[in-house]
Amino acid sequence: MSNYALTNCRIIDGIGTGIQENMSILVSGGNIKQLGKVTEVKIPKEYNKLDLKGNYVMPGLINAHAHLFGSGKPMKAISGGKSQEKLVGLLKTALGRKILDRMVKDHVMAALNSGVTTIRAVGDLFYSDVKIRDQIDSGNFSGPRLLVAGKAISVTGGHGSGSFAAIADSPWEARKAVRMNVHEQVDLIKICVTGGVTDSRVIGQAGRLAMTLEEVSAVCEEAHKIGFLVAAHAESTEGVRLALQGGVDTIEHGSEFDQEIIELFLNNPKSLRGYSSLIPTLYPAITICKLNPNDTLMSPVNVENSNIVFEGMVKGLINASKAGVLIGLGTDASCPFVTQYNTWRELDYTVRYAGLTPEMAIQNATRNNARILGIDHITGTIEPKKAADLIVVKENPLTNLRGLSQVQMVMRGELMIDKPIVKKLSQVEELLDTI
Ligand SMILES: [Zn+2]
């Protein structure tokens, strides 16, 4: 059993007490045993002592909205149509599956090395997400903690229907799709209540209602009866309203909210816990809105839809944060320019575009995400008895979130990465740094 003593560090515990100076943390068997002032914590001699020289220790980041299939490198196939059909067809073959599994593994390791100790995957191909979660959980290899949704559930022609989603066109088909996912051992259910940006063909399609209230209610009933949470992709005010009325537990992306919607978030009797939460994802919208379509490989329709969604999502995030809705954080990794290792950028965008403080952004990405995902008894804050999901950074993230792009050390329970390596896509980084 590995024992570590991280000493001479500054701690941002994720609970919201600012920075604690001159601290030590004892980690034993992958769990936090004790933390306190350097002068108060006695380090047993069997512990490996790591002098962190005043560096900052934070809870590992949680990316609550990611897809594992993509690297973030723009691909024509993301926007649907023939090239998507072709790629999905290729990945379906035995060799294709092998390549996909390899890519998925690389992607989750890129995320882990960048400081993401937990990923919630919300729609992937051929249950590749379930497969890698099982490999990690069984100790085949060390990776991040994964919660996976398997196939998203969409309608004919709906968002993701050509790639990462199963199609269900009635309440009973929707129930069947839930049961199929449960049978494949997913951890949660993901549905696409409205259209989406990347595979839209007409302006306004991203927010257009796709599922009916009956279908959403059927999914929620089916999932909740066995204690599963439901995450809903919704990119318009009416889409969010319908999803919440149906009883979903999280709204993914979001839009502008009115009073009725805010009240439904705070008190949603049909949800699993009696309230629902918001996982905004500004990152994919910003890149499509602000970068050159020749670089993102998005059509003018995709760009216009992204503008509409971005504007709504920022308003919704501001509405929700004023009203005290529980807010998490996700990047939508796999979208064009949304790499698996750039989670810090989403924190930065919520600060720059929606007026959150860096401390709020960090809490959304750690403690709040853990609560929303139902794993706050295990991770999300630095407290005794919780898993040692920790990252070390040189610069104070409360004054410079970019410091999170240079993680010095990552611990994920028993796994210790003392020199994390992130292979960044240089062309992608160059352009992202312009926005
Ligand atoms: Zn997504």
Side-chain angles (χ1 to χ4, degrees):
M1 196 157 68
S2 42
N3 298 313
Y4 294 100
L6 312 181
T7 186
N8 195 12
C9 56
R10 298 179 163 106
I11 294 180
I12 296 169
D13 62 12
I15 304 166
T17 45
I19 296 171
Q20 301 170 65
E21 303 273 348
N22 299 318
M23 300 291 284
S24 290
I25 308 173
L26 298 185
V27 173
S28 177
N31 291 315
I32 297 165
K33 225 175 156 225
Q34 194 189 346
L35 72 156
K37 289 278 174 205
V38 167
T39 47
E40 287 159 10
V41 176
K42 203 174 158 286
I43 300 174
K45 61 175 184 316
E46 69 272 22
Y47 276 61
N48 297 316
K49 191 170 152 180
L50 302 168
D51 184 349
L52 294 184
K53 300 191 173 82
N55 280 349
Y56 296 82
V57 181
M58 273 179 44
L61 299 175
I62 299 173
N63 187 353
H65 187 121
H67 306 270
L68 308 180
F69 56 80
S71 65
K73 212 169 156 182
M75 279 192 303
K76 192 89 199 86
I78 296 269
S79 51
K82 282 268 173 294
S83 46
Q84 185 173 74
E85 266 173 45
K86 222 172 140 187
L87 181 65
V88 173
L90 275 175
L91 292 173
K92 230 183 207 160
T93 63
L95 178 65
R97 299 272 183 110
K98 250 193 189 158
I99 294 169
L100 178 66
D101 289 344
R102 179 74 234 176
M103 289 193 306
V104 162
K105 191 172 176 182
D106 287 350
H107 297 158
V108 299
M109 292 317 283
L112 180 65
N113 275 270
S114 76
V116 177
T117 49
T118 301
I119 305 171
R120 185 179 65 151
V122 287
D124 266 283
L125 298 161
F126 315 123
Y127 296 104
S128 50
D129 52 348
V130 173
K131 202 165 166 188
I132 193 144
R133 181 211 55 198
D134 286 348
Q135 285 173 353
I136 293 171
D137 285 357
S138 66
N140 263 1
F141 80 95
S142 305
R145 190 186 306 284
L146 287 179
L147 296 172
V148 300
K151 286 183 185 170
I153 300 170
S154 192
V155 301
T156 295
H159 182 48
S161 59
S163 53
F164 59 82
I167 296 170
D169 280 319
S170 70
W172 282 104
E173 277 189 25
R175 282 179 193 269
K176 188 174 179 182
V178 173
R179 290 169 186 170
M180 179 186 72
N181 271 324
V182 170
H183 178 66
E184 295 287 345
Q185 313 262 308
V186 302
D187 300 298
L188 70 139
I189 300 299
K190 161 78 181 298
I191 57 176
C192 298
V193 172
T194 68
V197 169
T198 48
D199 48 9
S200 60
R201 291 190 194 166
V202 293
I203 291 171
Q205 192 179 339
R208 219 189 243 172
L209 288 177
M211 294 178 79
T212 64
L213 183 59
E214 290 75 16
E215 287 163 342
V216 176
S217 303
V219 166
C220 290
E221 208 183 291
E222 200 61 40
H224 292 163
K225 78 178 188 197
I226 52 166
F228 277 42
L229 293 163
V230 178
H233 165 107
E235 298 192 325
S236 63
T237 302
E238 291 321 305
V240 171
R241 192 188 320 277
L242 183 136
L244 291 173
Q245 284 169 343
V248 306
D249 303 287
T250 56
I251 293 294
E252 311 292 313
H253 319 297
S255 190
E256 190 172 6
F257 307 138
D258 56 25
Q259 197 50 35
E260 184 194 24
I261 288 176
I262 290 290
E263 279 162 25
L264 268 170
F265 267 112
L266 298 172
N267 178 18
N268 190 347
K270 285 178 74 183
S271 67
L272 188 64
R273 302 161 174 155
Y275 65 88
S276 303
S277 316
L278 175 68
I279 310 280
T281 63
L282 303 186
Y283 185 171
I286 286 171
T287 56
I288 298 172
C289 291
K290 302 205 183 271
L291 292 176
N292 189 325
N294 293 330
D295 293 319
T296 56
L297 305 181
M298 288 282 117
S299 71
V301 170
N302 298 148
V303 175
E304 187 47 34
N305 282 332
S306 195
N307 278 319
I308 298 168
V309 168
F310 177 58
E311 202 180 303
M313 206 156 43
V314 168
K315 283 184 188 159
L317 175 52
I318 294 168
N319 298 152
S321 101
K322 276 191 189 145
V325 170
L326 184 57
I327 301 168
L329 178 138
T331 65
D332 221 349
S334 297
C335 282
F337 283 79
V338 188
T339 67
Q340 301 285 343
Y341 59 77
N342 259 334
T343 304
W344 75 272
R345 289 192 188 269
E346 178 67 23
L347 281 81
D348 184 48
Y349 294 138
T350 59
V351 169
R352 277 162 53 203
Y353 291 94
L356 269 59
T357 64
E359 186 156 31
M360 284 158 83
I362 289 171
Q363 276 182 17
N364 291 351
T366 56
R367 181 188 67 174
N368 288 5
N369 265 349
R371 275 191 196 163
I372 293 168
L373 272 47
I375 51 172
D376 52 326
H377 55 298
I378 305 170
T379 190
T381 55
I382 303 182
E383 290 177 274
K385 294 194 180 127
K386 286 202 180 171
D389 293 350
L390 309 170
I391 58 174
V392 177
V393 286
K394 242 186 210 154
E395 284 180 65
N396 180 357
L398 297 181
T399 52
N400 181 17
L401 283 169
R402 188 176 272 270
L404 292 176
S405 67
Q406 301 285 346
V407 173
Q408 308 293 310
M409 200 180 100
V410 181
M411 273 179 120
R412 191 302 226 184
E414 289 221 71
L415 171 69
M416 150 75 115
I417 306 175
D418 59 357
K419 285 191 183 60
I421 297 167
V422 180
K423 273 188 250 150
K424 296 190 178 176
L425 302 169
S426 55
Q427 277 173 322
V428 164
E429 292 306 302
E430 252 170 54
L431 290 173
L432 284 174
D433 284 340
T434 63
I435 50 178

